[in-house]
Amino acid sequence: MNAPKKIDTGAEALMATAIRVLAMDAVQAANSGHPGMPMGMADVAAVLYNRFLNVDPSSPTWQDRDRFVLSAGHGSMLIYAINHMLGYADMDMDQVKNFRQWGYRTAGHPEYGHADGIETTTGPLGQGVTTAVGMALAERMHNARFGDDLVDHYTYVIAGDGCLMEGISHEAIDMAGHWGLGRMIVLWDDNKITIDGSTELSTSTDQLARFAAAQWHVQSVDGHDREAVAAAIEAARQDPRPSLIACRTVIGQGAPNKAGSHKVHGAPLGAEEIAATRAALDWPHEAFTLPKAVYDAWGAVAARGRAAREGWEARLSVSEQAGAFERSIAAPDAGALATAMEAYKAKLSAEAPKVATRKASEMALEVVNATLPNTAGGSADLTGSNLTVTAGMQPMSKDNYAGSYIHYGIREFGMSAVMNGIALHKGFVAYGGTFLVFADYARPAIRLSALMGLPVTYVMTHDSIGLGEDGPTHQPVEHLASLRAMPNLNVFRPADVVETAECWEIAATASQTPSLMALSRQNLPCLRTEHSAENLVAKGAYVLREADGARDVTLIATGSEVEIAMKAADLLAEEGIKAAVVSAPCFELFAAQDAGYKAAVLGSAPRVGVEAAIEQGWAALLGERSAFVGMSSFGASAPAETLYAQFGITPAAVAAAAKKLMK
């Protein structure tokens, strides 16, 4: 999109002042919040919206809009003030007056899905910038498929010093520069202030040199010189590289006594300073009162966005690619995948291959990627271990945005945040892989996936001590428990090829829940040798083997330990003890089942849980008369078979635990 030639720039000072006063008044009313950044970046934001950014409040999610990401999410009143003045229907003045209050959309940090015009949840510093990389990448990948007529927009970011100090920012700028994401422009609020005081307390980094070294276009301007800001944004738009514009600003600009101090970062200005600010800004209006000229100026921005949207819709309506485009941003075809997966499962049950579930995942992905045309896979430099690439996938690069496989490099956190950005942008079904133990590196972005309800899939292999000789640094022990503790995340640990296929069917067609696959390195037998058209994993847990008569004990296991539970049931049967075996690949889906189903699966007999991980999180499945066979320490370096024996996770140990419960 090109900015219109004739734009009224005379009102920009008024537009910026309105941001400042709304921010300070809302924070004062809440007695909580961060007025400093919105006041300091008001001039930059006014220029960006007035001259460049295309959004349409009357159609907030039209696909070719520009994306604006407030990475410095603590300054949320900036975007709330702007969206109110632009005329978003859900951001009336009552929302602004009730900033940070229960039941209102104006949360302390911008929350995706809470209000229109908020492209992503921000607040955890650095993640906004990195999520924006995912949006900018998706824009280029989508453009490669549908051309400039349908995909031609920018991703703009306002970031602060904190965003650039966080380690994830290095991952973000490296990826964006390497991928040549020239449609990404970061406006850095270079105010040299953090909560503790001057940035000199904690950093000496030359940020312009750092970004330039990562192949970015860099500029530095006075953030209160609106013409200089506009010229810098225009230069950034013309450069093929991603751009950083260091906007030298004064935090709390406009407050005569507190501007430039860390004291204005995260606290109300106070009644006396607000009165002084009104006088300094020559603003005679009462709190939460804006003159018509303000609404007219911001309304012109909305009108330009509406015209851009209507032009895009006209192009879409006559495009030969309209159907394919609309399918690409729609929900995946669950019916087609279910049909393909049922036929695939029947083949698996008949052939019963013995493979690691990471290999089973690769096999299932062949079906997923052949059925869904817009998957975008990748790995954090572990493609050959995670097995995340399938036939026909080509690497994505700045020379081939049409590729569908992304080499993320050794950047687990960055990969996960980029996948969030891809999902938010729409157009692709995103998945990416690493080792399960490195979920800790990715966890903050996984948390935002869950918080925002983004259906991305994390393929995490080498899921237990079963990986063997690499030792305890690479053997996840506590990770399943910590991930299961996260709301709105489905953690899958399949036992064989059939369960893995069912996990992928659920994950690839999810709408508001991310999925995490915990997959084995070691080979596992096919336990589901009788075909079931029903997706049993969708129940979370099910009876894999029922006892011959009334149960004496129920053995519950996940993943590679289901085989151990089956062998333990055989040992118990030799002694006349009737054991049922329950496979529980997804605790979260099982918890969502009705009480009758759960009671039927778990039974009333004593229960033994089996998992090569710590016991935490098993209480709901085990009940009072129970035992757990698993880990209570870190692992060790040795062959997998040795480790299972040494740590006592064996069929004999499970059988012994069962018999002890029955005494």
Side-chain angles (χ1 to χ4, degrees):
M1 300 170 190
N2 294 316
K5 299 295 183 183
K6 295 181 180 180
I7 292 178
D8 181 7
T9 60
E12 281 174 358
L14 182 65
M15 296 168 75
T17 298
I19 294 173
R20 291 187 171 102
V21 296
L22 280 182
M24 72 177 185
D25 287 342
V27 171
Q28 184 70 19
N31 195 30
S32 172
H34 301 77
M37 192 282 279
M39 296 178 74
M41 285 295 281
D43 294 304
V44 174
V47 169
L48 174 64
Y49 274 81
N50 190 44
R51 305 195 196 188
F52 300 100
L53 194 135
N54 279 316
V55 292
D56 178 10
S58 70
S59 183
T61 61
W62 68 286
Q63 187 59 26
D64 205 33
R65 69 194 182 279
D66 289 329
R67 284 9 181 225
F68 172 67
V69 174
L70 186 65
S71 188
H74 54 274
S76 57
M77 265 311 305
L78 178 93
I79 196 167
Y80 298 147
I82 289 172
N83 286 359
H84 165 70
M85 293 184 291
L86 282 173
Y88 281 88
D90 64 351
M91 194 55 63
D92 60 21
M93 189 63 85
D94 192 48
Q95 294 290 334
V96 177
K97 289 179 179 179
N98 287 280
F99 177 52
R100 289 185 164 221
Q101 303 307 303
W102 177 263
Y104 289 86
R105 299 181 180 90
T106 44
H109 294 83
E111 302 282 350
Y112 172 74
H114 285 214
D116 292 336
I118 295 173
E119 301 288 358
T120 181
T121 295
T122 56
L125 295 177
Q127 283 204 64
V129 172
T130 319
T131 303
V133 172
M135 295 177 181
L137 175 62
E139 189 274 342
R140 288 292 83 192
M141 292 176 68
H142 218 209
N143 172 271
R145 289 152 175 80
F146 296 104
D148 292 346
D149 277 355
L150 300 183
V151 185
D152 183 17
H153 55 267
Y154 285 81
T155 301
Y156 296 98
V157 181
I158 285 182
D161 290 299
C163 292
L164 302 192
M165 287 189 205
E166 289 285 358
I168 192 176
S169 73
H170 181 80
E171 301 181 26
I173 68 171
D174 198 357
M175 287 186 288
H178 181 70
W179 294 333
L181 301 180
R183 294 305 185 89
M184 179 173 180
I185 299 173
V186 175
L187 302 153
W188 169 31
D189 181 17
D190 181 17
N191 62 33
K192 302 191 184 305
I193 291 292
T194 63
I195 292 174
D196 282 356
S198 169
T199 54
E200 293 179 357
L201 292 170
S202 55
T203 183
S204 300
T205 297
D206 183 338
Q207 294 289 1
L208 294 178
R210 181 168 77 116
F211 277 74
Q215 308 303 307
W216 282 56
H217 173 237
V218 298
Q219 302 173 83
S220 182
V221 299
D222 177 350
H224 303 301
D225 181 340
R226 291 185 295 278
E227 291 305 320
V229 170
I233 295 174
E234 185 57 44
R237 286 164 60 97
Q238 299 306 315
D239 197 279
R241 296 165 293 178
S243 290
L244 173 74
I245 304 173
C247 303
R248 185 70 180 95
T249 61
V250 176
I251 191 171
Q253 173 77 349
N257 303 304
K258 292 187 177 182
S261 166
H262 69 280
K263 295 179 181 178
V264 77
H265 168 81
L269 298 183
E272 184 176 336
E273 183 70 359
I274 283 180
T277 302
R278 273 187 157 73
L281 294 174
D282 191 23
W283 187 264
H285 311 287
E286 295 181 1
F288 305 113
T289 300
L290 300 178
K292 180 177 181 296
V294 167
Y295 288 114
D296 288 344
W298 283 99
V301 175
R304 185 186 73 233
R306 180 168 186 163
R309 189 259 301 170
E310 290 173 345
W312 174 80
E313 288 179 342
R315 294 192 300 276
L316 178 64
S317 68
V318 297
S319 173
E320 294 179 354
Q321 300 186 87
F325 182 91
E326 291 172 347
R327 285 191 296 274
S328 78
I329 62 173
D333 190 337
L337 187 58
T339 299
M341 276 297 184
E342 183 182 349
Y344 173 61
K345 286 196 309 176
K347 181 175 182 289
L348 291 176
S349 294
E351 296 178 355
K354 182 176 183 179
V355 297
T357 50
R358 63 170 175 160
K359 178 64 176 177
S361 172
E362 179 189 45
M363 293 160 61
L365 267 172
E366 292 284 358
V367 179
V368 171
N369 290 344
T371 307
L372 305 181
N374 60 331
T375 53
S379 170
D381 199 54
L382 289 168
T383 296
S385 293
N386 301 148
L387 304 180
T388 40
V389 68
T390 61
M393 297 185 85
Q394 296 296 317
M396 186 287 304
S397 72
K398 64 182 178 182
D399 299 317
N400 182 28
Y401 292 121
S404 59
Y405 193 78
I406 304 167
H407 290 280
Y408 287 102
I410 304 90
R411 305 183 185 100
E412 296 86 1
F413 193 177
M415 173 184 72
S416 303
V418 166
M419 288 199 297
N420 286 342
I422 292 171
L424 287 162
H425 179 276
K426 298 189 184 304
F428 300 94
V429 177
Y431 68 88
T434 186
F435 289 166
L436 180 59
V437 76
F438 300 137
D440 285 345
Y441 283 176
R443 187 181 182 88
I446 298 173
R447 186 174 188 270
L448 285 192
S449 302
L451 185 61
M452 290 189 277
L454 303 179
V456 299
T457 301
Y458 297 93
V459 182
M460 297 202 162
T461 68
H462 297 58
D463 69 342
S464 71
I465 59 171
L467 71 89
E469 292 85 347
D470 275 346
T473 57
H474 285 56
Q475 293 167 1
V477 172
E478 74 279 19
H479 298 72
L480 288 169
S482 70
L483 291 163
R484 287 168 178 156
M486 192 179 293
N488 195 40
L489 174 67
N490 284 336
V491 179
F492 295 98
R493 192 163 185 252
D496 68 357
V497 285
V498 178
E499 282 194 359
T500 305
E502 292 182 338
C503 290
W504 264 112
E505 181 186 346
I506 296 165
T509 56
S511 60
Q512 294 182 317
T513 303
S515 302
L516 187 143
M517 309 276 191
L519 305 169
S520 75
R521 177 177 183 259
Q522 70 273 34
N523 290 337
L524 303 176
C526 178
L527 303 173
R528 293 266 298 276
T529 55
E530 184 176 335
H531 175 58
S532 168
E534 182 183 4
N535 186 322
L536 299 180
V537 168
K539 296 287 191 180
Y542 62 94
V543 179
L544 178 64
R545 170 176 166 173
E546 187 55 273
D548 184 14
R551 296 183 194 177
D552 294 318
V553 67
T554 299
L555 310 180
I556 309 169
T558 76
S560 46
E561 286 70 69
V562 177
E563 176 190 10
I564 292 174
M566 293 286 278
K567 290 179 178 177
D570 289 338
L571 293 176
L572 291 168
E574 291 174 2
E575 300 185 41
I577 299 171
K578 299 173 183 177
V581 177
V582 170
S583 179
C586 185
F587 287 16
E588 296 77 22
L589 292 178
F590 185 62
Q593 304 307 310
D594 62 64
Y597 178 78
K598 287 189 282 190
V601 169
L602 296 176
S604 57
R607 302 167 196 163
V608 179
V610 194
E611 188 170 66
I614 63 170
E615 184 179 357
Q616 186 173 340
W618 272 81
L621 275 74
L622 293 181
E624 294 183 3
R625 295 175 61 206
S626 64
F628 182 77
V629 176
M631 298 294 293
S632 59
S633 68
F634 292 113
S637 179
E641 298 81 359
T642 302
L643 292 172
Y644 272 90
Q646 290 295 324
F647 286 105
I649 307 174
T650 64
V654 175
K659 287 189 287 186
K660 187 175 180 180
L661 284 174
M662 296 168 59
K663 291 182 179 178

